[in-house]
Amino acid sequence: MAEYPDNAPGPWITPRVEEKIDAITAAGFRKIIQVPIGFTADHIETLYDIDIIHRRYALEKGLVFQRISSLNAGGSFIRALKAIVVGMIP
């Protein structure tokens, strides 16, 4: 698990994604899958930071890179949200 605090105004959670990619490479792994667990929908951090910046960094290290898709408006996600909302209605 890592954070990507590229534009954070102060100290942030560590390690940075690049540090984890370096460690994964050093450990001899050849493939990496990034899972943006903090995001339920695509936006600038998934579409740019992960898909472009992190992918480029991993490829430069010789890794095969993949990102797990965000939930976005997927049917099972929307049904789960609906169940939660309906369950909250008295």
Side-chain angles (χ1 to χ4, degrees):
M1 184 166 303
E3 291 287 334
Y4 188 68
D6 192 47
N7 57 2
W12 199 254
I13 301 169
T14 58
R16 292 179 52 91
V17 170
E18 293 84 354
E19 293 169 358
K20 291 302 281 188
I21 291 172
D22 290 342
I24 288 165
T25 303
F29 291 96
R30 306 306 310 149
K31 298 177 183 178
I32 186 171
I33 299 174
Q34 190 164 351
V35 183
I37 59 173
F39 306 115
T40 57
D42 289 323
H43 55 83
I44 193 68
E45 282 192 69
T46 55
L47 299 174
Y48 181 75
D49 293 348
I50 296 173
D51 289 352
I52 295 175
I53 301 296
H54 299 166
R55 177 183 306 277
R56 182 182 305 141
Y57 191 82
L59 294 175
E60 288 172 359
K61 298 294 181 176
L63 296 170
V64 174
F65 180 92
Q66 181 180 352
R67 172 178 66 89
I68 298 299
S69 297
S70 298
L71 298 171
N72 294 311
S76 59
F77 179 58
I78 298 303
R79 284 188 296 278
L81 288 177
K82 177 184 175 185
I84 291 167
V85 170
V86 169
M88 300 293 280
I89 297 172

